[in-house]
Amino acid sequence: MDRKDFLKKGLLGTGMFVASASLGNTMKNEIDEIEPLEPIGYNHLPNPESKIKDNSVIHKADSRGKADHGWLVSNHTFSFANYHNPERMHFGVLRVLNDDKVEAGRGFGTHPHDNMEIISIPLEGDLEHKDSMGNTAVIRSGDIQVMSAGTGIMHSEFNKNDDQQVKFLQIWVYPNKRNVTPRYDQITLDKTKSKNKFQQILSPNPNDEGVWIHQDAWFHLGDFENNTEVSYQVKKKGNGVYAFIIKGSAEIEGQPLEERDGFGVWNIENLQIKATSENTEILLMDVPMTM
């Protein structure tokens, strides 16, 4: 398959439902469940502004797809729901990176998923989770939640507060094993471990630091003071790294990045990163570029 044909590949959707927390029923919003992409690959044109032009891509914050449903405002780094961009379907096995704001007392009603690793990182407020495995939990800033959808799960996510928004990152990663037994987990991070360095929050190893998923992927969070410089070593040969600036600003391999910008790099062994403002928070997602 040549690049032109590859960029045309891919279906989109979310399987997203909406309901008020006070309602017992849910209302489908007529958006289909996401479909597999074939094959998984680079799916990006090189970034002409970068010093490493042939192996990087930049997604500026204001270039993302945006959906405003009233109760939900979501910015999509990659094609999702009604936002479709054939050049922004995924970065390797990283399929979804949504920056979500949910109004008080509202949320995603019960809906299904299968064969996807789903990670939620709350930034503000309290997000209440319920699922078909019997789990009921609340996640807050400093927590990380993971679900392996596997053979199929039903779940809901609601803003537990009636007086403030909840903000969180919703991330989907293609698994390296299909039809696994569904599972749920969440942990509270020790934020002192991410001060001026990267703290591992996700890996493929259940016995390692952070949560784990069915994929050779590693996620790290770092909270940096201005002018702090660090180096990140790619965990596995063939992986690429997608950096998302949660807040502040930074330079990665000389590429200036602002709040909510995304920057992906592949065919590289390590990254040089410099914070260029106070309280710069960066999420690194180290993921396979092919299945």
Side-chain angles (χ1 to χ4, degrees):
M1 179 183 295
D2 64 25
R3 182 175 182 81
K4 182 178 179 181
D5 288 337
F6 176 75
L7 291 175
K8 292 179 181 178
K9 282 286 185 180
L11 298 175
L12 66 160
T14 71
M16 183 175 69
F17 293 70
V18 53
S20 168
S22 63
L23 296 180
N25 62 323
T26 60
M27 298 175 288
K28 187 175 181 180
N29 69 358
E30 298 182 352
I31 300 175
D32 294 332
E33 177 70 8
I34 202 165
E35 294 289 341
L37 296 174
E38 184 181 8
I40 304 299
Y42 295 91
N43 191 223
H44 289 302
L45 300 177
N47 168 26
E49 304 299 324
S50 174
K51 295 179 181 178
I52 44 177
K53 296 179 183 179
D54 58 346
N55 62 326
S56 71
V57 62
I58 186 169
H59 298 134
K60 300 297 290 182
D62 60 4
S63 73
R64 297 176 295 174
K66 184 175 182 179
D68 188 344
H69 300 284
W71 66 278
L72 165 71
V73 176
S74 184
N75 286 282
H76 311 312
T77 294
F78 305 107
S79 290
F80 192 86
N82 295 324
Y83 168 61
H84 179 66
N85 182 339
E87 294 177 8
R88 289 173 66 159
M89 297 302 295
H90 56 87
F91 180 82
V93 300
L94 176 61
R95 178 61 186 88
V96 169
L97 174 54
N98 287 351
D99 186 0
D100 291 344
K101 298 178 184 177
V102 179
E103 291 300 318
R106 304 298 295 274
F108 303 86
T110 304
H111 60 281
H113 294 288
D114 65 71
N115 289 309
M116 192 69 72
E117 303 294 303
I118 301 172
I119 302 103
S120 296
I121 302 177
L123 304 177
E124 293 181 22
D126 304 325
L127 189 67
E128 184 174 33
H129 166 92
K130 295 182 180 180
D131 64 42
S132 54
M133 295 176 283
N135 297 299
T136 299
V138 176
I139 56 171
R140 302 174 174 87
S141 176
D143 296 340
I144 181 169
Q145 175 199 84
V146 65
M147 290 184 291
S148 297
T151 55
I153 60 169
M154 303 281 289
H155 78 116
S156 64
E157 307 289 338
F158 278 98
N159 183 345
K160 188 173 175 61
N161 304 115
D162 58 10
D163 59 352
Q164 68 179 85
Q165 288 183 331
V166 66
K167 301 178 182 180
F168 70 105
L169 301 180
Q170 178 185 172
I171 302 167
W172 295 8
V173 174
Y174 281 106
N176 56 18
K177 297 178 182 178
R178 290 182 58 82
N179 299 321
V180 300
T181 301
R183 54 177 286 271
Y184 175 87
D185 194 15
Q186 70 177 72
I187 62 170
T188 298
L189 303 170
D190 180 354
K191 289 190 173 182
T192 63
K193 293 184 177 181
S194 61
K195 187 64 177 178
N196 288 323
K197 58 185 178 181
F198 282 109
Q199 174 188 10
Q200 182 175 292
I201 64 170
L202 176 147
S203 80
N205 186 350
N207 299 317
D208 211 346
E209 187 174 5
V211 295
W212 67 277
I213 62 172
H214 295 282
Q215 186 53 269
D216 291 329
W218 290 260
F219 286 13
H220 289 76
L221 274 174
D223 188 0
F224 302 99
E225 297 172 324
N226 192 24
N227 292 321
T228 301
E229 297 186 42
V230 294
S231 178
Y232 175 80
Q233 187 77 27
V234 179
K235 296 298 184 183
K236 183 178 179 181
K237 186 177 181 180
N239 275 17
V241 178
Y242 194 90
F244 185 72
I245 310 300
I246 296 175
K247 62 181 179 181
S249 61
E251 289 183 2
I252 299 181
E253 292 296 313
Q255 172 67 56
L257 299 166
E258 302 295 330
E259 187 167 303
R260 270 22 187 214
D261 288 351
F263 182 61
V265 188
W266 58 93
N267 291 342
I268 196 168
E269 293 183 356
N270 57 71
L271 294 177
Q272 301 303 315
I273 300 165
K274 179 181 179 180
T276 54
S277 66
E278 290 295 337
N279 300 317
T280 293
E281 190 171 1
I282 303 171
L283 170 63
L284 294 185
M285 291 165 280
D286 185 330
V287 298
M289 295 306 294
T290 58
M291 291 291 277

